[in-house]
Amino acid sequence: MEYGILGPVEVRDGGVGIPLDGPKQRTVLAALLIAEGSFLPDSELSRFLWGEHPPRTLHAQIYTYVSRIRRTLGPRAVISRRPNGYLMEIGAASFDLVEFRKLAMRGQLELIAGRFPEAAGLLRASLALWRGPALANVSEQLAAVEGPPIEEARISALASRIEADLAVGMHLQVLPELTRLIDRHPMHERFRAQLMTALYRCDRQAEALALYDSGRRRLAADLGLEPGPLLREVHQAILSADPALHRPAALRH
């Protein structure tokens, strides 16, 4: 059995999708999966399903959704009733969020250790588990609470994978990707610093400096802030033609 929330919530058995009946059922299943074997109270499930305006029959409705999930998944997924809540155990089944976290953590450790090809491979494998925006077909309430931290983990893994690619000299290859990322995440200083570095290595120093200036102006206008230490460091290194810019960021200090 394979459970997935890194995209639309889905369950597959032997590669064949198992139909899940409606967004409420998918919301309950996703919430139980994200709890990773921990107790999930009815109050939390209610908040994920109905927000601040639950029905008076919330306990009965939650019970109905859980019963339907049990029938759909069969005995390999154990959902136990506890006082005022539920707990789900998936046994030997795979869960894409857990697999993503394991691969991303291993990739981060390889990056810190300076084993850049290995880091890039692991981080690329972790990102390949994503099928689209996480929790794409659940309630707005669950997506709003659990979606952002999961997305932040994806962004962190992506930035680390780009760092590993830069470390092995792939600055030309990552330029288009970084340009798109800056357009989508204009306040993300690590992506901006990486794009500045890639441009500098491609002998496009003026564009790298212009990228810093545009980011500085946007930070000041939107947030009243100055660039952080990473951006300032890369900016100064470009101005001084510091040879360290040709070394991986993890090895500059």
Side-chain angles (χ1 to χ4, degrees), residues 163 166-167 171 193-194 196-201 205 208-209 230-231 233-249 252:
E163 194 70 50
L166 285 171
H171 39 273
Q194 289 173 334
M196 289 169 62
T197 300
L199 287 167
Y200 177 81
R201 292 182 185 178
Q205 295 93 328
L209 293 171
L230 176 61
L231 275 180
E233 175 189 326
V234 174
H235 179 246
Q236 185 57 46
I238 292 171
L239 288 173
S240 62
D242 190 340
L245 275 177
H246 292 278
R247 299 201 303 270
R252 288 181 199 157

Side-chain angles (χ1 to χ4, degrees), residues 25-61:
Q25 187 172 319
R26 292 191 294 267
T27 296
V28 171
L29 175 60
L32 289 167
L33 286 167
I34 291 169
E36 293 186 46
S38 298
F39 170 75
L40 191 62
D42 287 343
S43 59
E44 283 291 287
L45 284 169
S46 173
R47 183 164 66 97
F48 294 147
L49 287 164
W50 299 289
E52 300 303 318
H53 304 286
R56 285 179 291 180
T57 58
L58 69 92
H59 296 289
Q61 290 195 45

Side-chain angles (χ1 to χ4, degrees), residues 40-101:
L40 191 62
D42 287 343
S43 59
E44 283 291 287
L45 284 169
S46 173
R47 183 164 66 97
F48 294 147
L49 287 164
W50 299 289
E52 300 303 318
H53 304 286
R56 285 179 291 180
T57 58
L58 69 92
H59 296 289
Q61 290 195 45
I62 291 172
Y63 178 83
T64 298
Y65 297 137
V66 171
S67 296
R68 290 174 180 170
I69 293 170
R70 286 185 179 125
R71 288 197 300 271
T72 299
L73 300 183
R76 282 178 288 179
V78 178
I79 305 177
S80 305
R81 177 66 180 170
R82 298 286 190 271
N84 301 311
Y86 294 88
L87 183 150
M88 182 175 183
E89 300 171 87
I90 64 173
S94 67
F95 177 28
D96 62 1
L97 179 60
V98 170
E99 295 302 314
F100 164 75
R101 287 173 174 162

Side-chain angles (χ1 to χ4, degrees), residues 125-166:
S126 76
L127 294 163
L129 294 172
W130 287 70
R131 295 168 286 109
L135 301 168
N137 57 352
V138 301
S139 70
E140 293 180 5
Q141 293 87 352
L142 179 62
V145 172
E146 299 292 351
I150 296 173
E151 173 64 10
E152 184 57 39
R154 184 189 72 85
I155 292 295
S156 177
L158 178 56
S160 292
R161 194 228 80 213
I162 293 171
E163 194 70 50
D165 285 343
L166 285 171

Side-chain angles (χ1 to χ4, degrees), residues 163-182:
E163 194 70 50
D165 285 343
L166 285 171
V168 296
M170 294 178 62
H171 39 273
L172 187 60
Q173 291 89 332
V174 300
L175 269 176
E177 181 180 16
L178 280 168
T179 301
R180 290 191 298 271
L181 286 168
I182 286 297

